[in-house]
């Protein structure tokens, strides 16, 4: 067997055919890579791959692509937009050396180097890091975005208010919106996963969200999470669209499975920018990702699922999104089997996204057939809160009745803010105070002192 890569442990020489195999076998154990037949066969082989990976120069990732340049537009995007000047200060390092550099770097250095890192470099170094390393470095990364408020400031945590309904019933959606606003959620976005692809129904949702935000003068943004082509069509028809949503993946073939390519995303971004609806900034895109999406579409090219996920952040980075989040446990136990794997994946995703300069949030979630529970989610969201997570989901009761999975609740965000001293987006915090929903420190006021706001918010449900 000929091999380009090898490492010897206790006299046994472990051989790896190419960089893809080194990366896959260096990855912490997860069910998706086992399903794909690319995972390490033992803990010893995994360690040999990590030792081999640690000694590789970072420049190797610029010279050896994991997915062919000629046949994959995501690879071409990554290579063609690589920022050589930003890479120069670390160009002499190995992957192991990058780990040491990252742990010693301050925020300014991390922000400066981000354009010089490829997703594969970020994925590679994450495979050498303990959970605490992933937390420590991500906490020092800074990615700030703006549309109608400011997201990603240090010491802040935003929440997507997710008022889904299985039949898109406007009164049901309105009730969840009122609930979330009373709990101080919604500064990241008020975002609905629609149950239908009907353009008229989608447009009705967009108008309802716009009416609520306008009437109450809420400094936030709305999004109906439908396919990008539907959103472009609504924009062309004059609908008041704030953010354009799309699920994305890390290979051209996987994105084709979503019905998209990079040109379509560029078109959608230009359409949203043409509306000029942002008051503070022009970050108009909202992306969602998840480890296992490329594998589930048989579009992973033999690349491990975590590296494919990091490549999705390379796609996101090119479009300057307001929000990007990994829906970490949503795809199921075939890809992340249990709470331990979900926790590790969430920390990896957040680290890689932030390191690459992407505003990374997390849907801390699991499906009911996974070997995970709410205690695992408590652990992950607390770790991510410490790590400087951009935003989490706010779902009534943490149980999404439309998508049928377990996420995080409005109360979970209150818990994180209380124990970690985190604030909402400053403009949204000021609105809560003007509405007499929160005090000057951001703490929710007792219900007896919220009556004026409750009366206004009730009108939402009555008008829906």
């Amino acid at each position: 067997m000929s091999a380009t890569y090898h490492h010897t442990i206790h006299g046994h020489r472990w051989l790896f055919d190419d960089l893809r195999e080194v990366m896959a076998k260096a990855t912490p154990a997860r069910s998706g890579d086992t399903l794909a037949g690319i995972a390490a066969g033992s803990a010893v082989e995994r360690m040999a791959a990590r030792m081999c990976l640690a000694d590789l120069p970072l420049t190797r990732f610029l010279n050896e692509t994991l997915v062919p340049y000629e046949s994959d537009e995501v690879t071409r995007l990554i290579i063609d937009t690589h920022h050589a000047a930003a890479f120069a200060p670390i160009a002499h390092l190995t992957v192991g050396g990058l780990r040491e550099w990252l742990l010693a770097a301050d925020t300014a250095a991390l922000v400066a180097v981000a354009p010089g890192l490829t997703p594969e470099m970020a994925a590679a170094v994450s495979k050498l890091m303990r959970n605490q390393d992933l937390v420590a470095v991500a906490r020092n990364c800074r990615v700030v975005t703006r549309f109608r408020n400011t997201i990603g400031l240090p010491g802040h945590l935003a929440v997507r208010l997710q008022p889904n309904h299985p039949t898109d019933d406007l009164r049901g959606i309105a009730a969840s919106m009122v609930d979330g606003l009373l709990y101080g959620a919604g500064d990241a976005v008020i975002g609905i996963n629609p149950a239908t692809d009907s353009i008229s129904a989608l447009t009705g949702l967009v108008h309802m969200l716009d009416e609520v935000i306008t009437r109450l003068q809420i400094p936030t943004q709305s999004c109906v999470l439908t396919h990008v082509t539907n959103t472009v069509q609504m924009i062309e028809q004059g609908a008041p669209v704030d953010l354009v949503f799309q699920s994305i993946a890390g290979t051209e073939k996987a994105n084709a499975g979503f019905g998209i390519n990079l040109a379509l995303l560029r078109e959608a971004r230009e359409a949203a920018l043409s509306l000029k609806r942002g008051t503070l900034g022009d970050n108009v895109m909202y992306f969602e990702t998840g480890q296992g999406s490329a594998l589930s579409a048989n579009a992973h090219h033999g690349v491990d699922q975590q590296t494919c996920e990091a490549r999705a952040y390379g796609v996101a980075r090119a479009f300057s999104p307001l929000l990007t989040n990994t829906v970490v446990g949503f795809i199921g136990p075939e890809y992340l089997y249990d709470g331990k794997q979900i926790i590790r994946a969430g920390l990896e995703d957040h680290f890689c996204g932030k390191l690459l300069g992407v505003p990374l949030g997390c849907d801390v979630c699991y499906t009911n057939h996974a070997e995970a529970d709410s205690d695992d989610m408590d652990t992950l969201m607390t770790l991510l809160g410490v790590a400087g997570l951009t935003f989490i989901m706010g779902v009534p009761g943490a149980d999404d009745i439309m998508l049928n999975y377990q996420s995080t609740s409005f109360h979970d965000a209150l818990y994180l803010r209380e124990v970690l001293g985190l604030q909402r987006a400053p403009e949204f915090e000021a609105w809560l105070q003007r509405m007499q929903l929160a005090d000057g420190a951001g703490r929710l006021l007792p219900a007896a002192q919220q009556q004026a706001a409750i009366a206004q918010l009730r009108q939402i449900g009555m008008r829906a």
Side-chain angles (χ1 to χ4, degrees), residues 215-236:
R215 182 149 47 90
L216 296 178
Q217 298 182 308
I218 309 173
T220 191
Q221 36 283 327
S222 70
C223 186
V224 175
L225 282 69
T226 187
H227 193 269
V228 62
T229 54
N230 292 333
T231 305
V232 170
Q233 188 173 341
M234 287 191 288
I235 291 173
E236 291 173 345

Side-chain angles (χ1 to χ4, degrees), residues 67-275:
V67 182
Y69 179 93
E70 298 75 16
S71 59
D72 187 271
E73 67 172 356
V74 175
T75 298
R76 293 194 293 274
L77 173 71
I78 291 167
I79 296 299
D80 294 349
T81 61
H82 180 249
H83 198 299
F87 180 62
I90 59 170
H92 63 289
L93 295 176
T94 62
V95 177
L98 177 61
R99 174 184 176 272
E100 299 303 315
W101 186 90
L102 291 172
L103 288 168
D106 61 14
T107 295
L110 291 169
V111 170
V113 82
L117 289 167
T118 69
E120 291 85 352
M121 293 175 192
V125 74
S126 76
K127 299 176 192 300
L128 307 182
M129 302 179 88
R130 295 174 58 182
N131 285 0
Q132 65 175 257
D133 299 336
L134 299 174
V135 170
V137 175
R139 184 174 178 83
N140 283 333
C141 294
R142 190 76 61 240
V143 184
V144 178
T145 57
R146 294 177 175 88
F147 188 76
R148 290 200 189 97
N149 57 25
T150 307
I151 295 172
L153 294 171
H156 289 67
L157 171 73
V159 176
R160 170 189 161 189
L161 203 174
Q162 185 170 310
N164 295 342
H165 191 278
T167 63
D168 291 339
D169 180 77
L170 294 183
R171 290 181 67 87
I173 290 171
S176 293
M177 287 174 58
V178 170
D179 192 25
L181 291 169
L182 287 172
Y183 279 108
D187 48 345
V189 63
I190 303 176
I192 300 170
N193 296 92
T196 179
D197 281 332
S198 161
I199 295 297
S200 62
L202 296 171
T203 303
L205 291 174
V206 169
H207 278 284
M208 185 195 78
L209 291 173
D210 179 63
E211 181 185 351
V212 171
I213 290 172
T214 301
R215 182 149 47 90
L216 296 178
Q217 298 182 308
I218 309 173
T220 191
Q221 36 283 327
S222 70
C223 186
V224 175
L225 282 69
T226 187
H227 193 269
V228 62
T229 54
N230 292 333
T231 305
V232 170
Q233 188 173 341
M234 287 191 288
I235 291 173
E236 291 173 345
Q237 294 177 1
V241 171
D242 288 344
L243 304 183
V244 174
F245 167 80
Q246 183 55 48
S247 294
I248 57 173
T251 70
E252 179 179 343
K253 186 178 178 182
N255 282 326
F258 286 136
I260 63 166
N261 55 36
L262 300 182
L264 180 57
L265 294 179
R266 293 188 191 101
E267 177 190 345
R269 181 170 182 267
E270 290 304 314
L273 287 172
S274 72
L275 299 180

Side-chain angles (χ1 to χ4, degrees), residues 256-461:
F258 286 136
I260 63 166
N261 55 36
L262 300 182
L264 180 57
L265 294 179
R266 293 188 191 101
E267 177 190 345
R269 181 170 182 267
E270 290 304 314
L273 287 172
S274 72
L275 299 180
K276 296 181 170 56
R277 292 179 57 80
T279 55
L280 295 184
D282 60 1
N283 300 116
V284 296
M285 303 299 284
Y286 175 14
F287 296 123
E288 287 190 347
T289 66
Q291 286 194 29
S293 60
L295 175 58
S296 69
N298 193 27
H300 60 104
H301 298 272
V303 178
D304 67 273
Q305 66 182 39
Q306 190 255 331
T307 300
C308 285
E309 174 74 1
R311 284 169 55 92
Y313 304 148
V315 174
R317 178 168 63 176
F319 296 93
S320 304
L322 180 76
L323 307 166
T324 302
N325 71 278
T326 167
V327 193
V328 65
F330 183 74
I331 302 182
E334 299 85 357
Y335 307 97
L336 295 170
Y337 179 72
D338 57 14
K340 181 179 177 66
Q341 292 188 11
I342 292 172
I343 289 168
R344 174 69 189 191
L347 295 177
E348 290 169 346
D349 294 351
H350 180 250
F351 163 85
C352 288
K354 284 290 187 62
L355 188 61
L356 293 168
V358 175
L360 218 291
C362 184
D363 190 341
V364 179
C365 63
Y366 64 101
T367 56
N368 288 317
H369 62 308
E371 291 296 320
D373 58 27
S374 58
D375 287 335
D376 296 316
M377 300 305 103
D378 285 350
T379 299
L380 177 55
M381 72 177 181
T382 303
L383 289 169
L384 288 171
V386 174
L389 184 70
T390 300
F391 71 106
I392 63 170
M393 304 299 118
V395 178
D399 186 357
D400 192 301
I401 60 173
M402 198 280 277
L403 294 173
N404 292 311
Y405 77 114
Q406 307 303 311
S407 185
T408 47
S409 70
F410 308 135
H411 301 79
D412 291 329
L414 295 178
Y415 150 74
L416 285 177
R417 291 198 173 105
E418 179 66 27
V419 300
L420 299 177
L422 302 173
Q423 297 175 291
R424 301 171 182 87
E427 300 84 358
F428 191 84
E429 197 88 81
W431 177 80
L432 290 174
Q433 293 168 22
R434 290 196 301 273
M435 291 288 289
Q436 297 183 326
L437 289 170
D439 63 19
R443 292 184 297 265
L444 293 180
L445 293 171
Q449 299 179 43
Q450 295 181 332
Q451 293 306 309
I454 290 172
Q456 289 189 60
L457 291 172
R458 277 179 177 164
Q459 296 301 311
I460 296 173

